[in-house]
């Protein structure tokens, strides 16, 4: 069953009805209810490996930090969405320094300087990768910190919009670069294999399509997405967080060539043509963004839900219990989540993006140590 026409997440209307199978299979939870696993799962809840009662504030007074990637020496690179700045936070420091200011990013709505990734062979080639919104498109570039103005455009012409720009990039365990692309407000493009919109892309480090991608001569790795905001890997499996529309946000297990249903299905549809999500939340509970897998748990930041979700995994592409939330309301909108080289879990807030209630020191980078065993 197709969904009615809709606008951006910020323009959701309560009357929208999701796929018929969702309504039949999933009860509507109360405002504070737990999320709904999308398939059979044991009763075990996630056992967070981190001490969320021992936060350490690493940086303050940032302006909408978005991308986060680590250099071989343990330093973190942080992108600021509206300013186009790339900041470096050295181990033990609480004062980020500007190491690049990219020319080209244009910040409008959800666009600007978004995801960052560091080359797996950084010590040899020195490349940093970025996804950003320009005056005409979204694009993926690479550059060296010593000469950020000399950008090499790897892939351009990605449709842009005020909303649904995707923007997360990361190197997978296979050494390929993955990029999440929103539907840019044109819903039907998510099902069009010839359009990058509404997709997860996979490419070689030079931007070319890998020979083993699921569709010949194409960067498209999976399709049928509305606005994927985070990707993560664990035990050889790939996972993604996705903004739904008016009813359901999602965690998906990503497989090559998989079709995740948008715009024909939102949430769990139960249709054989599409792959159902592992977990769905009501939109007010989540708006899941950055993600990281550590051990048998996926950690997903929630901007709308203002919390960190912990999702227990079975190591085979499924869940092993019900997701639970930590940090509910503690830091506001959580945009990015990452495992740091020292074994701590980092989050970045997004309270100065026009949709949050910033504290005096926002936006912040905060780490949590591993629990003692």
């Amino acid at each position: 069953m197709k969904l009615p026409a809709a606008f951006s997440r910020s323009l959701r209307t309560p009357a929208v009805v999701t796929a018929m199978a969702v309504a039949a299979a999933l009860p509507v939870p109360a405002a504070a209810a737990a999320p709904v696993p999308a398939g059979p799962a044991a009763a075990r809840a996630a056992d967070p490996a981190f001490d969320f009662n021992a936060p350490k504030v690493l940086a303050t007074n940032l302006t909408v930090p978005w991308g986060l990637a680590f250099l071989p020496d343990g330093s973190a690179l942080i992108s600021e969405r509206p300013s186009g700045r790339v900041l470096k936070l050295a181990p033990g420091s609480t004062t980020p320094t500007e190491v690049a200011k990219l020319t080209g990013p244009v910040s409008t709505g959800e666009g600007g300087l978004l995801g960052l990734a560091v080359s797996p062979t950084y010590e040899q080639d020195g490349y940093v990768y970025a996804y950003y919104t320009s005056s005409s498109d979204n694009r993926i570039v690479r550059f060296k910190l010593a000469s950020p103005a000399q950008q090499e455009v790897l892939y351009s012409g990605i449709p842009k919009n005020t909303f649904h720009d995707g923007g997360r990039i990361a190197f997978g365990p296979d050494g390929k670069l993955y990029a999440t692309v929103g539907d840019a407000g044109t819903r039907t493009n998510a099902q069009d294999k010839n359009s990058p919109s509404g997709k997860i892309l996979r490419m070689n480090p030079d931007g070319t399509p890998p020979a083993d991608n699921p569709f010949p001569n194409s960067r498209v790795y999976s399709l049928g997405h509305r606005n994927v905001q985070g990707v993560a890997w664990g035990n050889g499996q790939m996972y993604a967080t996705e903004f739904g529309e008016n009813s359901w946000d999602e965690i998906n297990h990503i497989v090559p060539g998989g079709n995740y249903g948008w715009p024909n299905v939102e949430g769990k549809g139960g249709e054989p043509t599409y792959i159902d999500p592992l977990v769905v939340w009501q939109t007010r509970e989540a708006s899941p963004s950055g993600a990281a897998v550590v051990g048998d748990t996926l950690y997903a930041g929630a901007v709308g839900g203002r919390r960190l979700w912990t999702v227990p995994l079975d190591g085979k592409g499924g869940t092993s219990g019900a997701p639970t939330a930590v940090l509910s309301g503690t830091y506001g909108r959580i945009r990015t989540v990452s495992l740091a080289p020292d074994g701590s879990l980092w989050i970045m807030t997004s309270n100065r993006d026009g949709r949050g209630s910033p504290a005096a020191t926002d936006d912040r980078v905060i780490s949590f140590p591993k629990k003692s065993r």
Side-chain angles (χ1 to χ4, degrees):
M1 172 173 145
K2 286 184 180 284
L3 296 170
F7 302 98
S8 73
R9 166 174 291 266
S10 62
L11 300 176
R12 285 182 171 131
T13 56
V16 173
V17 180
T18 190
M20 186 180 299
V22 177
L26 299 176
V28 177
V36 183
R44 187 181 70 83
D47 179 19
F50 301 95
D51 186 351
F52 293 107
N53 293 313
K56 181 178 181 181
V57 178
L58 302 178
T60 59
N61 299 303
L62 304 181
T63 304
V64 196
W66 212 99
L68 174 64
F70 291 93
L71 295 172
D73 68 357
S75 296
L77 296 181
I78 299 166
S79 68
E80 284 188 329
R81 188 174 77 185
S83 70
R85 296 197 306 161
V86 178
L87 308 175
K88 180 180 178 180
L89 184 61
S93 174
T94 57
T95 306
T97 58
E98 182 180 316
V99 291
K101 186 175 176 64
L102 298 190
T103 57
V106 175
S107 179
T108 303
E110 295 176 356
L113 177 55
L114 302 174
L116 291 179
V118 170
S119 168
T121 54
Y122 180 85
E123 291 173 310
Q124 288 73 49
D125 58 42
Y127 281 127
V128 175
Y129 291 71
Y131 182 122
Y132 69 74
T133 310
S134 76
S135 60
S136 59
D137 61 7
N138 285 309
R139 56 183 53 192
I140 298 168
V141 304
R142 67 181 179 184
F143 60 93
K144 298 184 179 182
L145 293 177
S147 52
Q150 298 176 21
Q151 299 173 19
E152 180 183 358
V153 178
L154 303 180
Y155 187 40
S156 60
I158 301 171
K160 71 167 192 169
N161 192 27
T162 305
F163 305 104
H164 311 179
D165 275 323
R168 194 71 63 180
I169 58 173
F171 279 95
D174 55 4
K176 306 301 184 183
L177 181 67
Y178 292 76
T180 73
V181 180
D183 69 8
T186 304
R187 298 148 54 97
T188 55
N189 279 347
Q191 290 293 325
D192 181 356
K193 294 175 186 171
N194 295 315
S195 169
S197 296
K199 311 294 191 303
I200 295 176
L201 307 180
R202 177 179 182 260
M203 62 195 78
N204 293 315
D206 64 0
T208 57
D212 60 347
N213 264 10
F215 307 109
N217 302 310
S218 173
R219 298 174 181 83
V220 173
Y221 191 69
S222 63
L223 65 155
H225 299 291
R226 183 174 183 268
N227 193 17
V228 173
Q229 291 283 286
V231 292
W233 290 264
N235 198 38
Q237 309 296 326
M238 182 179 179
Y239 305 90
T241 63
E242 183 163 350
F243 280 16
E245 190 178 40
N246 291 278
S247 300
W248 303 106
D249 290 325
E250 304 175 2
I251 300 288
N252 284 296
H253 174 227
I254 304 299
V255 297
N259 188 331
Y260 294 83
W262 179 256
N264 302 323
V265 174
E266 179 189 7
K268 178 180 164 72
E271 299 180 21
T273 306
Y274 308 122
I275 298 173
D276 277 346
L278 300 181
V279 176
V280 295
W281 290 276
Q282 284 196 312
T283 55
R284 64 176 176 266
E285 299 281 300
S287 301
S289 189
V293 174
V294 184
D296 62 357
T297 302
L298 183 147
Y299 299 86
V303 286
R306 292 165 169 77
R307 66 198 73 180
L308 181 70
W309 282 108
T310 67
V311 182
L313 303 173
D314 66 6
K316 302 175 184 179
T319 59
S320 61
T324 55
V326 296
L327 306 179
S328 296
T330 307
Y331 299 107
R333 295 165 61 82
I334 298 177
R335 173 71 63 185
T336 299
V337 182
S338 184
L339 179 67
D342 66 0
S344 61
L345 190 74
W346 287 27
I347 65 169
M348 297 200 305
T349 68
S350 192
N351 292 317
R352 296 178 66 184
D353 64 0
R355 297 178 180 176
S357 300
T361 56
D362 275 331
D363 276 314
R364 292 169 281 175
V365 181
I366 303 158
S367 73
F368 301 91
K370 293 206 78 168
K371 283 184 177 178
S372 299
R373 297 291 184 180

